[in-house]
Amino acid sequence: MVANPRHLEHTSNIGAIDWRSVLRHVAVSRALDDLEEFTLLKDRKVLYQFSARGHDLTQVLLSTQLTGKQDAVGGYYRSRPLLLGLGLPLEEALSSTMMRAGGMSDGRDIGVVFNLPNKTGPCVLPVCGGVGAQYTPAVGWAQSLRYRLKQLGSKDCENSIAVAHGGEASTATNGFWAALNIVTTERLPFLFFIEDNGYGISVAASRQTPGGNIARNLESFRGLRVLEGNGSDPLAAAALIQDAVAGVRAGDGPALLRLIVPRLSGHSGQDTQTYKSAEEIAAEIARDPLTHLRAQLVPGTLSAADWDLEISQARALVAQTLAKVERRAQPDPKHIQRHVFSETRADGSLELQQQGGLRGAGVVPATGTDRAEPQGARINLVTAVRRTLEHELATNPRMLVFGEDVGRKGGVHAVTLGLQERFGIERVFDTSLSEEGIIGRAVGMAAAGLMPVPEIQFRKYADPAAEQLNDCGTMRWRTMNRFAAPMVVRIPGGFFKCGDPWHSQSNEVQWLHGVGWRLAMPSNAQDAVGLLRSALRGNDPTIFFEHRSLLDSASARRPYPGDEFVVPFGKASCLREGNELTLVTWGAMVERCEQAIDASGKSVELLDLRTLSPWDREATLASVRKTRRCLIVHEDNITAGFGSEIAAVLAKEAFFDLDAPIERLAMPDVPSPHNPLLLDAVLPSVETIAQSIHSLTEI
Ligand SMILES: Cc1ncc(C[n+]2csc(CCOP(=O)(O)OP(=O)(O)O)c2C)c(N)n1
């Protein structure tokens, strides 16, 4: 049943609310909105403005309830009053929208997408511009609370909760439904705090969900407590918010609270609201929660003079803050390429993010050794990855492995076989079939100081997670190193005995446009161990590509190189030395290139790049300067494949050293075909590679 204030289940304590403090925060939020909307936008000192007028009272009330030592919020662009209530400094808030130095992002991101690192009180995960992107990371935080309490004994996590804040239109997004499904299935301490202002820009709520009321539609959703009410009514809203939070905190499971609020401005500073009638706008103004708050407080709780004083003090405070922000410097363009990845200072120390990752939680993993100590018989790539995961799980209690079928079955490629048995269901677990949920959840876990290792079952099925992958990669940069979410995403892909457009895509180049991601593409079991371990102990999000044709191939087998073996990223492996031609490749093409070199009888230098982000430019340039010719072979489609990037760098940097054009051999621009005959026709083969070696060396 949808609860209203008459059906509250937890003892209400609205008497404990400091209404004067609530008024103060709402008044400051209003004064900020007014300043931006009516002055700074016109002066072009703010370029993107999202007023929270009408949403402010409910958000400030929510902030008073987020008292858990490990509470976290996933918010959106209209969440500023909530953040102000949680301690966002006013000067940082305004310098963010005014794009000044410092702030949330040093002028890199739109000012209203805030973040609030906090390891000992409520934190706010980095807000994204994409509607609905806030939900699954908040779910990851909620799951981390259970994990940290049970597995790490973090008492602070007891009774802490995660809240996701969004508008009613965001309940139509993939992220919302992915989150809803996970929190109810897993019974996580999670609150959906939905402020329904009736519009998603200009689209009415009735086009987002049947009947326009998401609360009503979710009444029968199993495992979800649903509440709703009027966000303009201070007492009713306070009671509902208290009750919803108290229920989640008490362990009743997830809840959704829908509060109806007026949107007292256009969607953004640019929006003139011509789609609303004058009557509608007047009716919204009549629902202004600030007016209702005054009626509530004056004169019983506050005198009219005290009320006016709070309003004028808020305006004065905002005016003083503006003066300070105006004196702040503009961000320095010199630094714009910084903090894409984790950085070290000249003395070798890490420039640590404020929150996220193992290091953000104060854990510094051992560095390992790049000297292999081969042990025993040769193992295949599957065993190599499994053994590495096993050792790291055994030595790092903050690491979790999860994805579709990775638990009892041990993964569709058997890579995680036996890991759940050994480490338990909290650390190695099956997820629901939602890639958005898998990666989004990993983002929240990483922000909470864990090392998530999600598996995407096949390369193509990372597509539904594209938004979370993208936002994860840019997190460090857009928060100016305040937050980072290091994780290792294992993704099998590429052809096997046959191809097909679903399980066999390679398409690695997409990750290289995903700013902030490291990418490893090992060609053998030894490199797989070393690269995976580097990534698991690293401080950046990493895609670890497990090529399907290499999982059990004879060519990829190597002895296990030891429990501390690491391969540093960005170091190519020179597999053959030669002086007539440099052949650059990676992944499953390595074996074909070796065979082609043998068949050609030419002196060819073979570089296996091993990682593409970063890639070893120096080794490639040095080799090409020596051999004066270069052939690049890859499985990914040829147009704008990574070979183009390598060729462009060589053309610029080694132009006068070249005796022949740089050549690329790659899959034409078609999806991977299924029939092996068709697949063979499009993949670079030993024969076509050998032919290219011949024609290039004979120029
Ligand atoms: C994934 C995505 N699609 C479209 C947009 C453009 N957009 C920004 S806000 C918005 C409407 C959101 O409405 P709602 O969730 O109800 O929140 P409100 O703005 O009303 O507070 C749209 C379509 C976006 N930011 N992200």
Side-chain angles (χ1 to χ4, degrees):
M1 187 179 86
V2 177
N4 63 37
R6 288 179 299 281
H7 293 106
L8 300 182
E9 291 173 9
H10 295 267
T11 324
S12 162
N13 192 19
I14 45 179
I17 292 175
D18 178 350
W19 286 100
R20 191 163 185 155
S21 162
V22 170
L23 166 61
R24 196 166 296 148
H25 282 113
V26 174
V28 166
S29 173
R30 283 286 163 114
L32 260 184
D33 279 337
D34 288 352
L35 172 71
E36 291 175 351
E37 202 173 342
F38 304 125
T39 309
L40 298 179
L41 207 53
K42 292 193 177 64
D43 295 347
R44 299 196 57 76
K45 291 181 176 171
V46 165
L47 301 178
Y48 241 112
Q49 202 266 337
F50 291 86
S51 169
R53 290 194 295 134
H55 287 240
D56 30 22
L57 173 64
T58 38
Q59 291 185 34
V60 172
L61 286 170
L62 174 63
S63 74
T64 66
Q65 303 304 303
L66 297 184
T67 50
K69 290 201 178 104
Q70 287 296 319
D71 284 355
V73 173
Y76 78 121
Y77 49 82
R78 228 180 281 289
S79 296
R80 185 165 66 190
L82 173 56
L83 274 100
L84 289 169
L86 291 176
L88 171 68
L90 192 53
E91 191 179 328
E92 300 309 314
L94 189 56
S95 52
S96 296
T97 48
M98 290 179 72
M99 306 166 284
R100 295 303 172 106
M104 301 293 105
S105 77
D106 204 37
R108 295 169 170 207
D109 203 347
I110 48 176
V112 286
V113 295
F114 294 106
N115 61 77
L116 207 55
N118 189 354
K119 292 183 202 159
T120 53
C123 82
V124 179
L125 304 177
V127 170
C128 300
V131 173
Q134 69 271 43
Y135 289 109
T136 52
V139 171
W141 186 280
Q143 190 164 347
S144 88
L145 291 169
R146 189 171 74 193
Y147 185 90
R148 288 185 284 158
L149 180 65
K150 284 198 192 160
Q151 304 291 323
L152 306 176
S154 307
K155 286 268 174 266
D156 278 2
C157 295
E158 203 155 28
N159 303 325
S160 287
I161 67 170
V163 179
H165 175 215
E168 83 293 338
S170 75
T171 66
T173 63
N174 302 342
F176 174 82
W177 290 96
L180 177 65
N181 209 47
I182 298 169
V183 296
T184 47
T185 310
E186 301 278 342
R187 285 193 61 76
L188 295 176
F190 192 91
L191 174 65
F192 291 96
F193 187 78
I194 305 300
E195 289 187 311
D196 187 341
N197 63 26
Y199 285 92
I201 307 186
S202 66
V203 180
S206 56
R207 301 204 72 87
Q208 308 292 352
T209 191
N213 182 342
I214 188 70
R216 185 122 307 190
N217 294 338
L218 290 174
E219 269 177 59
S220 61
F221 205 93
R222 197 147 172 201
L224 184 72
R225 183 164 179 243
V226 180
L227 302 97
E228 65 170 325
N230 180 2
S232 297
D233 177 340
L235 285 187
L240 274 167
I241 293 167
Q242 272 195 343
D243 195 66
V245 170
V248 178
R249 230 183 258 301
D252 292 1
L256 178 142
L257 170 59
R258 168 182 177 251
L259 289 168
I260 300 164
V261 297
R263 194 186 77 195
L264 297 173
S265 306
H267 164 73
S268 67
Q270 279 76 20
D271 177 22
T272 49
Q273 302 208 80
T274 46
Y275 46 86
K276 285 185 186 170
S277 67
E279 293 74 35
E280 238 178 308
I281 291 178
E284 284 185 308
I285 292 170
R287 291 194 285 123
D288 183 344
L290 195 59
T291 315
H292 291 271
L293 186 63
R294 192 176 192 285
Q296 169 77 43
L297 298 183
V298 178
T301 312
L302 282 182
S303 68
D306 279 348
W307 174 277
D308 292 345
L309 184 67
E310 287 297 343
I311 302 283
S312 60
Q313 279 181 344
R315 289 201 186 116
L317 183 64
V318 167
Q320 285 159 16
T321 309
L322 174 64
K324 282 193 208 157
V325 174
E326 295 269 27
R327 288 196 293 275
R328 270 205 188 189
Q330 294 288 347
D332 188 345
K334 240 188 7 251
H335 303 309
I336 195 59
Q337 293 195 41
R338 296 205 51 203
H339 301 305
V340 173
F341 294 107
S342 178
E343 290 175 13
T344 41
R345 300 188 184 85
D347 66 2
S349 64
L350 199 65
E351 243 185 76
L352 192 60
Q353 60 271 11
Q354 289 181 43
Q355 188 165 334
L358 296 173
R359 289 162 180 83
V363 177
V364 182
T367 42
T369 169
D370 58 4
R371 248 198 347 271
E373 286 171 15
Q375 302 163 9
R378 295 178 346 136
I379 54 173
N380 66 12
L381 202 134
V382 166
T383 314
V385 173
R386 187 191 305 133
R387 213 164 144 180
T388 311
L389 290 174
E390 193 168 10
H391 179 77
E392 297 301 303
L393 275 164
T395 51
N396 179 2
R398 289 176 175 268
M399 176 175 153
L400 306 87
V401 171
F402 52 93
E404 293 152 17
D405 301 291
V406 304
R408 288 171 68 182
K409 182 173 167 64
V412 294
H413 301 97
V415 175
T416 54
L417 199 67
L419 296 183
Q420 187 178 75
E421 256 165 51
R422 176 160 175 206
F423 297 101
I425 200 163
E426 290 285 334
R427 301 195 63 201
V428 180
F429 58 90
D430 290 327
T431 63
S432 49
L433 202 168
S434 166
E435 285 75 16
E436 148 93 40
I438 292 170
I439 301 299
R441 173 164 24 188
V443 169
M445 288 175 166
L450 303 179
M451 170 45 87
V453 186
E455 175 180 309
I456 296 291
Q457 205 157 64
F458 291 94
R459 166 69 189 87
K460 169 77 174 68
Y461 305 141
D463 289 359
E467 178 172 48
Q468 292 301 333
L469 287 163
N470 195 319
D471 296 350
C472 175
T474 58
M475 184 185 287
R476 187 190 295 277
W477 180 88
R478 63 191 158 85
T479 66
M480 194 62 182
N481 208 30
R482 288 159 67 90
F483 272 90
M487 65 176 71
V488 180
V489 186
R490 297 181 32 251
I491 310 184
F495 68 92
F496 183 37
K497 289 174 184 148
C498 54
D500 74 277
W502 317 109
H503 305 92
S504 309
Q505 263 194 41
S506 173
N507 195 14
E508 63 266 24
V509 78
Q510 192 179 325
W511 310 125
L512 299 157
H513 259 218
V515 171
W517 282 93
R518 302 276 187 208
L519 172 62
M521 298 197 66
S523 68
N524 63 69
Q526 173 167 317
D527 286 350
V529 170
L531 292 168
L532 179 58
R533 180 163 292 118
S534 276
L536 292 170
R537 296 182 183 185
N539 196 29
D540 284 310
T542 304
I543 306 280
F544 186 79
F545 196 96
E546 296 169 11
H547 200 285
R548 292 171 64 222
S549 77
L550 298 176
L551 291 174
D552 192 31
S553 75
S555 75
R557 289 172 186 239
R558 299 284 185 282
Y560 183 68
D563 284 339
E564 288 304 309
F565 179 65
V566 292
V567 170
F569 275 50
K571 291 266 171 277
S573 164
C574 181
L575 298 176
R576 302 278 165 93
E577 290 195 7
N579 50 32
E580 288 182 86
L581 169 80
T582 299
L583 206 171
V584 183
T585 192
W586 53 89
M589 290 295 118
V590 170
E591 184 191 6
R592 291 177 181 218
C593 289
E594 283 179 315
Q595 290 173 3
I597 292 169
D598 293 343
S600 74
K602 299 284 183 183
S603 172
V604 178
E605 187 138 299
L606 177 61
L607 294 184
D608 173 2
L609 287 183
R610 306 198 286 194
T611 66
L612 300 188
S613 168
W615 68 283
D616 198 341
R617 292 163 66 115
E618 292 68 35
T620 308
L621 277 166
S623 175
V624 171
R625 286 190 176 121
K626 181 178 83 175
T627 64
R628 308 181 77 82
R629 289 174 167 81
C630 184
L631 171 65
I632 305 155
V633 177
H634 60 70
E635 174 183 348
D636 200 355
N637 297 130
I638 189 149
T639 301
F642 195 60
S644 320
E645 175 64 21
I646 299 172
V649 168
L650 292 174
K652 177 163 192 305
E653 305 284 329
F655 185 75
F656 295 106
D657 300 302
L658 289 167
D659 286 343
I662 301 156
E663 184 122 340
R664 291 174 297 150
L665 201 56
M667 178 110 83
D669 298 332
V670 293
S672 178
H674 185 47
N675 185 317
L677 202 78
L678 301 176
L679 179 68
D680 284 345
V682 292
L683 275 179
S685 64
V686 173
E687 292 72 35
T688 54
I689 300 168
Q691 275 163 21
S692 292
I693 293 174
H694 268 283
S695 52
L696 263 178
T697 47
E698 276 154 29
I699 286 174

